Amino acid sequence: MTKPFETVCVVGLGYIGLPTAAMLASRKLKVIGVDVNPRAVNAINNGEIHIVEPDLDMIVDAAVNQGYLRATFAPEEADAFIIAVPTPFKDDHIPDLSYIEEAARGIAKVLKPGNLVILESTSPVTTTEFVADLFVKERPDLTFPHQDGDAPDINIAYCPERVLPGRILLELIENDRVVGGMSPRCSKRAVSLYETFVEGTCVETTARTAEMCKLVENAYRDVNIAFANEISMICDELSVNVWDVIKHANRHPRVNILQPGPGVGGHCIAVDPWFIVWRTPELTPLIRTAREVNDAKPEWVVASILSRLKELESQGVKAPTIACFGLAFKPDIDDLRESPSLNIAETISQISTASLLAVEPNISELPASLADKCELVDQSDALARADIAVLLVDHTEFKAIDTSSFPGVIVDCRGIWARTA
């Protein structure tokens, strides 16, 4: 009979790792959270959180105070291990697996027979096998799925997250999970862990299928967003309101065009499609082009802002002020990773002499890239001082702003204010 899980070690306490650790701890499992960031470790051990996510603070506080969750800097012995570290890319969009490798080496030191290791980090296809090969080198005293069929000492699986920031806790529970084991037994063992808190269906498959599934999901979304962004630029060129075009086109029973924006951000859609391109460059012209369209959209927005700035200056406006509303990569979160909005603000700060204001209600200080070139203000101050108001993120607070009396220029990348770009 398979031993039930009592202790789980989660490596990586970011936007996915910490909520996952909290969910497991809320089910009365002993959870050891591991992170290299002292701020994160100290905050969690004090029952606090270092990221913005609704209700997560209450669950972490309860789990810590009840003794089910603690944070440290290195993996410790456990029944199961979950790797939830970042997977960025290097130059030329080459995947950087160094964080996964470091996490795996740390776990290898404390592995014991009967353990389960799950990779959650979004990764190129075959990364789970890479982790298994690393374990073989680090721990020749143990057996692994690709060596010993369906009866290894260590079970290994891949299970990608598919949650939306701002709804992570709800979606961790409700969403279906694709669980790809390196053997059928590995899949079943991993499913038994997720079923401690997942109410959605846990679908068993292979590791490669699960890896590819995650990448395909985000590439699909990226391609659809690229279509909307391209249409927005075409409509601007032809002096057509893109928001009306999409609204009317979507009345067709088989058309569902997404909403355009200033680009694509976050650590999933803006990154994952490149993992497919990297593996199969000759077979991915559509996926590559979609990435290029979305990566180029911030430049188009900057050009639009600078064009309006030039018009104001030609009208005699001296020392103009630009206010950027939103720096996060999506609404109602504090996550600035791969944010096109942040990229736009940074670019303006570097190439324009105009004064720059930023309104981002979910952060308390500007990132280092803007700290000396921009002022973080509230929305009332921004509207009072700005000559150009640029809506980059449709935060809830911004949707309630009445811009009908704003005397300046509005560049609306979200289509929710009175005047649109």
Side-chain angles (χ1 to χ4, degrees):
M1 182 177 178
T2 304
K3 178 185 175 183
F5 299 103
E6 297 178 357
T7 304
V8 181
C9 181
V10 179
V11 183
L13 297 174
Y15 289 89
I16 301 303
L18 181 56
T20 301
M23 281 290 98
L24 290 164
S26 72
R27 270 44 175 188
K28 310 303 181 186
L29 295 178
K30 294 280 188 178
V31 180
I32 304 161
V34 180
D35 205 283
V36 297
N37 182 356
R39 175 171 167 260
V41 171
N42 293 334
I44 293 164
N45 286 332
N46 287 327
E48 302 169 353
I49 61 174
H50 59 292
I51 58 177
V52 173
E53 183 62 35
D55 301 324
L56 180 60
D57 54 345
M58 295 184 294
I59 297 177
V60 169
D61 180 61
V64 171
N65 288 327
Q66 293 170 15
Y68 290 105
L69 174 63
R70 62 182 175 86
T72 186
F73 296 103
E76 300 178 9
E77 286 192 357
D79 300 313
F81 297 85
I82 295 176
I83 300 174
V85 296
T87 48
F89 49 69
K90 308 173 188 177
D91 293 338
D92 296 324
H93 303 111
I94 297 172
D96 181 0
L97 302 182
S98 61
Y99 296 97
I100 291 177
E101 182 174 355
E102 183 180 356
R105 291 188 188 281
I107 289 171
K109 297 176 183 178
V110 295
L111 282 177
K112 61 182 186 294
N115 279 170
L116 166 68
V117 179
I118 300 173
L119 176 61
E120 280 202 8
S121 303
T122 303
S123 311
V125 175
T126 72
T127 302
T128 307
E129 295 159 55
F130 165 78
V131 171
D133 288 337
L134 189 150
F135 285 154
V136 170
K137 294 176 183 177
E138 296 288 317
R139 294 296 304 272
D141 56 312
L142 298 171
T143 60
F144 299 88
H146 57 324
Q147 295 177 310
D148 201 22
D150 211 25
D153 291 328
I154 308 298
N155 292 308
I156 302 176
Y158 181 80
C159 182
E161 53 79 19
R162 41 164 52 148
V163 295
L164 187 68
R167 291 173 48 88
I168 290 178
L169 295 178
L170 180 65
E171 297 200 353
L172 277 176
I173 296 171
E174 295 184 349
N175 289 358
D176 294 346
R177 300 297 291 257
V178 178
V179 184
M182 292 191 69
S183 71
R185 181 185 177 190
C186 292
S187 297
K188 293 184 185 304
R189 187 79 170 126
V191 166
S192 69
L193 177 62
Y194 284 107
E195 285 182 341
T196 60
F197 67 88
V198 173
E199 296 176 2
T201 302
C202 291
V203 181
E204 297 179 26
T205 186
T206 65
R208 285 196 184 190
T209 299
E211 289 168 336
M212 189 63 179
C213 185
K214 170 65 174 182
L215 302 182
V216 166
E217 290 168 2
N218 283 326
Y220 171 84
R221 296 171 66 199
D222 197 41
V223 169
N224 281 272
I225 295 169
F227 179 78
N229 279 335
E230 191 165 281
I231 291 299
S232 74
M233 293 183 283
I234 294 169
C235 285
D236 184 79
E237 180 70 18
L238 300 177
S239 299
V240 177
N241 187 306
V242 66
W243 316 105
D244 286 344
V245 168
I246 292 175
K247 178 177 65 175
H248 299 325
N250 281 348
R251 294 179 69 86
H252 188 290
R254 289 172 295 281
V255 173
N256 184 23
I257 303 169
L258 301 181
Q259 297 297 301
V264 174
H267 193 63
C268 290
I269 302 179
V271 176
D272 298 354
W274 288 118
F275 293 167
I276 303 177
V277 175
W278 175 71
R279 275 289 184 213
T280 53
E282 298 84 6
L283 301 175
T284 48
L286 176 62
I287 295 173
R288 179 190 294 274
T289 300
R291 274 283 73 237
E292 291 170 348
V293 167
N294 287 331
D295 278 349
K297 188 67 186 291
E299 298 175 13
W300 184 88
V301 173
V302 168
S304 180
I305 295 169
L306 294 181
S307 175
R308 286 157 173 78
L309 182 63
K310 186 175 181 179
E311 292 175 4
L312 286 179
E313 291 172 339
S314 68
Q315 295 168 8
V317 177
K318 298 181 179 179
T321 297
I322 301 171
C324 291
F325 285 75
L327 297 177
F329 83 83
K330 67 177 296 293
D332 301 329
I333 63 171
D334 68 335
D335 195 345
L336 306 183
R337 292 178 299 173
E338 308 294 333
S339 172
S341 302
L342 176 61
N343 175 268
I344 289 166
E346 290 171 340
T347 302
I348 292 172
S349 74
Q350 294 164 2
I351 66 176
S352 172
T353 58
S355 298
L356 184 62
L357 309 176
V359 186
E360 178 47 75
N362 297 300
I363 63 174
S364 58
E365 60 182 14
L366 291 169
S369 59
L370 285 177
D372 298 327
K373 306 172 183 178
C374 182
E375 184 181 352
L376 184 64
V377 299
D378 62 29
Q379 59 191 43
S380 297
D381 193 13
L383 290 170
R385 296 165 58 185
D387 299 290
I388 301 178
V390 185
L391 180 62
L392 297 171
V393 187
D394 47 339
H395 289 312
T396 299
E397 296 93 331
F398 300 163
K399 292 179 180 179
I401 295 176
D402 180 4
T403 59
S404 59
S405 60
F406 178 68
V409 174
I410 288 178
V411 177
D412 185 354
C413 297
R414 295 296 180 180
I416 63 172
W417 281 355
R419 284 161 280 164
T420 61

